[in-house]
Amino acid sequence: MAAEESAFNIHPMDQFVIKPLFGHGDILWYTPTNATLWMGITVLAVIAMLVLGTRGRAIVPSRSQSIAEEIYAFVHKMVEDIAGKEGLKYFPYIMTLFMFIVLANVLGLLPMSFTTTSHIAVTATMAMAVFLFVTLLGFYKNGFKFLSLFWVSSAPLVLRPILAIIEIISYFVRPVSHSIRLAGNMMAGHAVIKVFAGFAGAMGIGAVAPIAGIMAVYGLEMLVTVIQAYVFTILTCVYLNDALHPVH
Amino acid sequence: MASEETTSEAGNGAVDAGHAVAEHYEGMPQLNPDWFANQIFWLVVTLVVIYLILAKVALPRIASVLSERANAISNDLESAEALKQKAVEAEEAYNKALADARAEAGQIVAEAKADIQKDLNVAIEKADAEIAAKAAESEVAIAEIRKGAVAAVEKVAKDTAGAIINKIMPGAGDAKAITAAVKSQMKGV
């Protein structure tokens, strides 16, 4: 099998393999890996964009300060529009998620980089954190009234139990779709680029079509990375709104 | 990085599932449970660090910059409004001053006219009085001249009459009669 592959080396999933940064030992829970490295670079990017960019604190902002302010205003408005004024209390948490996801996604587009958000372990952790947080918050804020989220009072009485079952199922499916959507999008785009790259490598000079394909998919991926970060964040806001205002 | 390993490992032709790290990975790396704990641990560390950076430094700073800007803009708008108000007031004051000045000028003109009229009246009166005085004097003078003329005519008439009578009938001239005759003739004059 490997002998066949040697002529035509396309291993689109190899880019997602977790490797220790130092040596070739086992990966323990604390081992610094390529995931650690790229998460660290994400943190540095956050510092560069939001801390270094705003150090001028100018009334008339510089370009970098403008970027930081735009991102701030964008997420702030999203939280306020969707979750209301009460939701703004949780704005730093949502901003944390957005900054991590959008920068991890975009950094993942650098050649030879590792996309931390293409791993279901990462996105599922965030999605579960959001799910548990909003569920506990819903019960804490509303008590058992939170269950009215599943009781569609605008529907005819006969339909309500059936709708309740559907609502409950859809509620518990939320973290699954929330996490798989992001990881799947990241993985698929990168894998497609890698497949095209494999074709290009096999064709050598004259690989115009695969390279054009890479360019096209890369452009699409630029969109997808930011849109998926936006989708993850806006869904978090929607779930938060359900916890704060559970009237259906 | 994966492709380098791909070429080196492909030559060996050995895919050891136990050391998938260094070789082609069979299946999806995303589903390897051995790596979950590592990823989750570092993710939590990363998110906590980002949260601390945002909550302690970045977000308060951006929020303060934004609110400062909003304040500055609303202050500027307020002062612009105040300046506009001042400009309106200044224009009103200017118009008022202009109207006052016009009114005053009109008054001064009217006063000047009245003064001139008064002076003129006085001058006319004086002139009238002088004219009247002169006329009266002239009348007196005319009357005197006339009286003198009448007397002269009477004397001439008397003398002429006496001379005529003396020529016609010498010695018959009675001065008294002549005078009476002349006087009676002159009555009509």
Side-chain angles (χ1 to χ4, degrees):
Chain A
M1 174 180 160
E4 286 166 38
E5 275 182 275
S6 61
F8 197 61
N9 285 311
I10 301 176
H11 301 288
M13 303 311 277
D14 277 3
Q15 60 178 317
F16 303 117
V17 172
I18 305 266
K19 282 168 283 190
L21 279 181
F22 312 104
H24 291 278
D26 287 338
I27 292 166
L28 302 174
W29 61 271
Y30 56 84
T31 312
T33 60
N34 48 354
T36 314
L37 173 68
W38 285 95
M39 284 182 188
I41 293 173
T42 308
V43 172
L44 293 180
V46 170
I47 294 173
M49 284 189 89
L50 296 187
V51 178
L52 297 183
T54 58
R55 84 201 131 165
R57 299 163 195 256
I59 288 286
V60 179
S62 60
R63 287 182 201 192
S64 56
Q65 189 183 327
S66 231
I67 293 169
E69 284 172 11
E70 287 295 323
I71 298 171
Y72 178 99
F74 175 72
V75 179
H76 196 269
K77 186 169 182 299
M78 193 201 300
V79 175
E80 192 175 3
D81 285 354
I82 295 169
K85 290 258 179 229
E86 303 90 335
L88 286 179
K89 213 171 124 189
Y90 310 99
F91 166 63
Y93 302 105
I94 292 171
M95 186 76 175
T96 302
L97 281 179
F98 179 75
M99 289 312 294
F100 172 72
I101 296 170
V102 77
L103 288 174
N105 287 357
V106 172
L107 286 169
L109 279 179
L110 292 173
M112 311 303 284
S113 69
F114 175 82
T115 316
T116 52
T117 41
S118 66
H119 274 263
I120 194 75
V122 169
T123 58
T125 305
M126 291 191 288
M128 278 311 291
V130 169
F131 177 76
L132 292 176
F133 181 76
V134 297
T135 307
L136 293 176
L137 184 72
F139 279 112
Y140 175 73
K141 286 262 176 194
N142 309 288
F144 281 100
K145 273 193 189 163
F146 182 57
L147 294 175
S148 67
L149 186 64
F150 307 115
W151 197 248
V152 186
S153 52
S154 58
L157 192 58
V158 204
L159 285 177
R160 281 184 210 173
I162 305 164
L163 286 175
I165 293 166
I166 295 172
E167 288 287 335
I168 288 167
I169 292 169
S170 78
Y171 188 81
F172 284 98
V173 169
R174 275 178 183 183
V176 180
S177 61
H178 204 188
S179 55
I180 290 178
R181 181 181 301 109
L182 175 57
N185 270 288
M186 288 305 105
M187 188 183 73
H190 288 64
V192 168
I193 289 178
K194 199 76 182 180
V195 169
F196 277 124
F199 285 145
M203 288 168 74
I205 293 174
V208 179
I211 289 172
I214 291 173
M215 287 168 65
V217 176
Y218 196 92
L220 184 68
E221 280 299 285
M222 299 273 268
L223 269 177
V224 169
T225 51
V226 179
I227 289 170
Q228 285 307 317
Y230 172 69
V231 167
F232 194 98
T233 315
I234 207 165
L235 282 173
T236 304
C237 292
V238 169
Y239 300 160
L240 180 65
N241 183 48
D242 281 347
L244 294 171
H245 317 103
V247 185
H248 213 291
Chain B
M1 46 197 164
S3 57
E4 291 159 23
E5 281 149 15
T6 299
T7 47
S8 64
E9 294 298 322
N12 299 343
V15 177
D16 188 343
H19 292 90
V21 171
E23 295 157 22
H24 306 312
Y25 193 84
E26 299 286 326
M28 286 176 69
Q30 279 85 350
L31 300 180
N32 185 342
D34 294 345
W35 299 339
F36 286 176
N38 181 275
Q39 284 177 294
I40 292 167
F41 168 69
W42 287 112
L43 172 69
V44 170
V45 171
T46 304
L47 290 180
V48 168
V49 171
I50 293 177
Y51 173 76
L52 290 177
I53 292 166
L54 291 186
K56 300 291 172 205
V57 187
L59 299 186
R61 186 187 286 178
I62 296 172
S64 77
V65 167
L66 290 179
S67 74
E68 257 172 48
R69 182 174 309 144
N71 283 345
I73 288 171
S74 68
N75 283 349
D76 285 0
L77 284 179
E78 263 168 36
S79 60
E81 190 59 36
L83 287 176
K84 195 182 160 196
Q85 193 61 37
K86 264 189 193 166
V88 168
E89 273 165 22
E91 199 194 343
E92 269 168 22
Y94 166 78
N95 282 342
K96 193 166 174 291
L98 200 64
D100 282 357
R102 275 210 184 106
E104 210 176 321
Q107 207 178 340
I108 288 168
V109 167
E111 267 169 27
K113 257 188 195 159
D115 271 2
I116 289 167
Q117 192 62 47
K118 211 159 78 184
D119 285 356
L120 200 61
N121 286 347
V122 169
I124 288 171
E125 246 167 54
K126 206 173 148 196
D128 279 352
E130 269 171 25
I131 289 166
K134 280 264 164 74
E137 253 172 49
S138 308
E139 232 154 76
V140 170
I142 288 167
E144 264 172 24
I145 289 166
R146 183 175 277 171
K147 225 193 228 166
V150 168
V153 166
E154 201 180 311
K155 193 170 174 286
V156 169
K158 228 191 289 179
D159 288 351
T160 313
I164 292 167
I165 290 169
N166 276 345
K167 278 277 180 173
I168 300 165
M169 310 179 271
D174 184 356
K176 265 194 183 170
I178 289 165
T179 305
V182 167
K183 270 210 174 141
S184 72
Q185 287 298 315
M186 292 269 297
K187 271 225 173 109
V189 180

